[in-house]
Amino acid sequence: MGSLAALECAARHPERVSRIALLGTAFPMRVSPDLLQATRYRESEAHGMINVWSHSSYAHYPSNPGPGFWVIGANLRLMQRQKPGVLHVDFAACDAYKTGFERAAQVKCPALFVLGARDAMTPARAGRDLAGAVPHSIVKTLEGAGHNLMGEKPDEVLDALLGFLRA
């Protein structure tokens, strides 16, 4: 959700933004009508849908790269801590956002796109399309990763970010 805000900020304020990194982003960032309705009226059901769609298949098994860390449970707990209604407002904003390609073309700074090859929430192909509209963009696709990149591939995300910031 934050990647579209970062894109908007970089486009509107090029004098204040020297680099941006967008993780698990896409444009358009459509939200399933069933999920959008669930975020409004049945948040616990929405949490389950998001957890299924945000993780690659390996996250559902005990092969997580962080021993003792339950990716699905941690993500669920974070969502449960949100105030009621926040999830719906965020998802509705993503679904309604229309100026992605226009803003992308206005970005003046280097941009890193870190995408999950198995991302069902924001498909990598839509992230690559958006990256193609940003001058000076770099795309790093993490194999085997879903949408929850930092939970599923923390080392790879950190390596990509450090490499980009040090370049």
Side-chain angles (χ1 to χ4, degrees):
M1 297 170 199
S3 63
L4 296 180
L7 178 71
E8 193 73 24
C9 181
R12 288 185 187 193
H13 305 286
E15 73 287 354
R16 299 186 72 185
V17 179
S18 61
R19 291 176 183 264
I20 58 171
L22 308 174
L23 280 67
T25 193
F27 183 77
M29 197 176 284
R30 293 189 184 104
V31 179
S32 153
D34 290 339
L35 177 56
L36 199 54
Q37 187 176 23
T39 63
R40 186 174 196 128
Y41 301 109
R42 302 176 312 282
E43 280 195 357
S44 63
E45 184 180 321
H47 295 160
M49 296 165 80
I50 292 166
N51 251 342
V52 168
W53 294 334
S54 290
H55 301 92
S56 64
S57 59
Y58 96 89
H60 297 272
Y61 300 99
S63 59
N64 180 20
F69 182 71
W70 182 28
V71 175
I72 304 293
N75 195 56
L76 177 61
R77 188 64 193 115
L78 284 172
M79 289 187 287
Q80 290 170 339
R81 292 175 56 192
Q82 293 175 335
K83 291 183 179 182
V86 170
L87 190 61
H88 177 72
V89 169
D90 287 348
F91 275 60
C94 290
D95 193 55
Y97 186 72
K98 303 294 181 217
T99 58
F101 289 123
E102 176 185 328
R103 293 296 187 229
Q106 295 170 342
V107 172
K108 304 283 187 246
C109 64
L112 172 66
F113 287 72
V114 182
L115 310 172
R118 296 177 156 213
D119 190 339
M121 296 285 284
T122 53
R125 73 178 180 288
R128 286 189 296 272
D129 290 346
L130 183 60
V134 177
H136 316 293
S137 67
I138 299 165
V139 177
K140 175 75 174 165
T141 304
L142 303 182
E143 294 303 319
H147 187 65
N148 187 347
L149 295 165
M150 291 178 285
E152 292 184 317
K153 299 285 186 175
D155 293 335
E156 292 87 339
V157 169
L158 183 58
D159 290 346
L161 290 171
L162 287 174
F164 176 66
L165 293 173
R166 289 178 177 156

